[in-house]
Amino acid sequence: MAKKTKTTDMFDVLIAGGGYVGLSLAVALKQGDPGLKCAVVDPKPMDQLHKDPRASAIAAAASRMLTQLGIWQQIEAESQPINEMIVTDSKLRDTVRPVFLTFGGEAAEGEPFAHMMPNGIMMPALYEAARSLGVSFFAPGTAETFRTLSDHVELELADSAVLKGRLLVAADGVRSKLRDLAGIRTVNWDYGQSGIVTTVKHERPHGGRAEEHFLPAGPFAILPLPDNRSSLVWTEKTLDADRLVKSDDFTFELELERRFGHHLGTLEVAGPRRAYPLGLKLARDFVKPRFALIGDAAHGIHPIAGQGLNLGFKDVAALAEVLIDARRLGQDLGAFDVLERYQRWRRFDTFQMGVVTDVLNRLFSNDSDVLRAVRDFGLGLVDRMPGLKSQFIKEAAGFAGPVPKLLSGEPI
């Protein structure tokens, strides 16, 4: 007996994935054209978004986009500006870690180059904005399969509902099922590393300073949060990371203290600890007819440069601008020539960042004295070159390359 299907009206854009990338795309499209019919599908209930314990680094360009979308004004008070960043390179047993590189300054006067933002604050604000603009939600709802027809795409959900749209956007993460169903191949590397993510409280204030310590197993990043707290991204070999996450509190805090140091006083783990496998995954194509990839579905990179989320926001700004321009010209939003504009805009930048993070991770995640001497000389040289440091700040702030209007704080 054939299963019954429930079919909805036609949407202009279907977005599979209700994370920060999928939600911000829905908000950007509805603000650009309130008449667009948009739907978001996600396996998790949207009223659970505030429970996400992680935090994200928001570059200045991304905060300008969120300001233009009306989100940043609501959440900025909960953020922590990053006023300075230091980089050290040393062995784990070193008690003194000389600073080889410092970054300070602003993207513009009075504008820090980045902020740290709790996901549990940002995600609900994006959802409320999307809902208030009339975005339809199918959540919890799981995308099972889709088929592309001449003038629309049909997305079938696990409950047999079928959603129709002119365009399907996959924002369903680095293990994107829809990307695989679309037949889009990827470039893959497994680093054999995992990133331990947790939050700590410390006795002394951090002063808005972020720290990146390059240790033999990989980078150990300390990212400032409000109220004498910091978010950690702690890279270890996968087996060691799994062992640490499963260890008792005493063992975990002892190993944490060896890497964190004592400069911020007494430490206390203040959040769940989780390990995420690290690798490089780049989609060979970002688009197919009536289909587009954004965010981690298009690119998963090493967190060594803290650019994963901000690459996703660049995708959002570029795709929203392309689609709204096409809408104003009366073009078919799912047409390949329209989507190819987005692909040309974003694919090279993404591959470039993927290569940079891959090289940096391979260069710094080792215990070679020779390599350490070479890279420390290079870091010290960069530290004495203000022009090059300014370019790095520009890159970290999200203003390198052709910048979409939203990332410049302009409406589309």
Side-chain angles (χ1 to χ4, degrees), residues 110-319:
E111 182 182 25
F113 69 88
H115 288 77
M116 286 298 297
M117 174 63 67
N119 287 5
I121 300 295
M122 177 171 59
M123 299 272 280
L126 283 167
Y127 166 64
E128 287 301 326
R131 192 175 60 85
S132 68
L133 288 168
V135 174
S136 299
F137 282 88
F138 296 84
T142 302
E144 283 291 315
T145 187
F146 74 94
R147 63 175 184 150
T148 303
L149 304 176
S150 61
D151 64 345
H152 70 279
V153 62
E154 293 182 351
L155 177 66
E156 183 174 345
L157 308 187
D159 65 357
S160 299
V162 175
L163 309 181
K164 294 181 178 181
R166 303 297 179 194
L167 170 66
L168 172 60
V169 178
D172 53 342
V174 71
R175 297 181 181 87
S176 172
K177 180 179 181 180
L178 295 181
R179 179 190 62 221
D180 295 340
L181 288 172
I184 294 178
R185 295 181 299 161
T186 59
V187 176
N188 300 282
W189 278 281
D190 182 352
Y191 292 126
Q193 297 171 314
S194 289
I196 301 171
V197 177
T198 192
T199 301
V200 297
K201 290 182 180 178
H202 35 79
E203 181 182 5
R204 302 188 189 111
H206 46 58
R209 185 175 72 178
E211 304 177 23
E212 183 119 47
H213 301 296
F214 289 121
L215 302 176
F220 181 89
I222 303 171
L223 305 167
L225 292 172
D227 304 322
N228 282 18
R229 296 177 304 130
S230 291
S231 176
L232 302 186
V233 182
W234 169 3
T235 304
E236 289 286 343
K237 293 180 180 178
T238 296
L239 290 178
D240 292 335
D242 291 342
R243 173 184 59 82
L244 284 163
V245 167
K246 294 173 183 175
S247 66
D248 60 78
D249 291 346
F250 176 79
T251 301
F252 184 82
E253 290 186 1
L254 185 65
E255 292 293 327
L256 168 63
E257 196 171 74
R258 291 178 68 203
R259 292 157 178 81
F260 197 108
H262 302 279
H263 59 293
L264 294 181
T266 305
L267 302 178
E268 176 188 348
V269 177
R273 54 195 196 226
R274 295 172 182 164
Y276 300 90
L278 301 178
L280 177 69
K281 187 182 288 274
L282 300 174
R284 292 180 180 269
D285 297 293
F286 281 22
V287 301
K288 293 273 187 172
R290 305 205 175 278
F291 184 82
L293 298 174
I294 60 172
D296 288 350
H299 42 73
I301 66 172
H302 198 284
I304 192 169
Q307 290 298 307
L309 166 65
N310 295 294
L311 279 181
F313 279 144
K314 282 187 177 181
D315 295 344
V316 168
L319 182 57

Side-chain angles (χ1 to χ4, degrees), residues 340-358:
E340 177 65 16
R341 298 175 209 159
Y342 160 68
Q343 177 164 263
R344 288 197 303 268
W345 201 341
R346 293 296 306 132
R347 188 165 57 173
F348 177 76
D349 178 54
T350 297
F351 270 76
Q352 186 179 46
M353 182 58 69
V355 170
V356 168
T357 56
D358 181 72

Side-chain angles (χ1 to χ4, degrees), residues 70-87:
I71 307 296
W72 191 248
Q73 300 87 324
Q74 305 173 39
I75 64 176
E76 182 180 9
E78 303 293 337
S79 72
Q80 170 62 54
I82 299 179
N83 302 316
E84 180 188 23
M85 183 170 183
I86 67 167
V87 177

Side-chain angles (χ1 to χ4, degrees), residues 341-385:
R341 298 175 209 159
Y342 160 68
Q343 177 164 263
R344 288 197 303 268
W345 201 341
R346 293 296 306 132
R347 188 165 57 173
F348 177 76
D349 178 54
T350 297
F351 270 76
Q352 186 179 46
M353 182 58 69
V355 170
V356 168
T357 56
D358 181 72
V359 170
L360 286 174
N361 185 54
R362 294 177 190 276
L363 178 63
F364 284 96
S365 296
N366 62 73
D367 201 18
S368 165
D369 289 335
V370 174
L371 275 179
R372 181 176 295 107
V374 171
R375 66 200 185 205
D376 291 350
F377 173 78
L379 289 173
L381 193 63
V382 170
D383 200 45
R384 294 189 293 273
M385 299 177 69

Side-chain angles (χ1 to χ4, degrees), residues 80-101:
Q80 170 62 54
I82 299 179
N83 302 316
E84 180 188 23
M85 183 170 183
I86 67 167
V87 177
T88 75
D89 182 19
S90 59
K91 297 181 179 181
L92 178 57
R93 63 179 177 268
D94 293 344
T95 55
V96 177
R97 294 175 180 165
V99 175
F100 288 97
L101 186 58

Side-chain angles (χ1 to χ4, degrees), residues 24-41:
S24 58
L25 177 63
V27 174
L29 290 174
K30 289 293 288 184
Q31 281 200 353
D33 186 342
L36 272 173
K37 294 186 67 177
C38 299
V40 173
V41 178

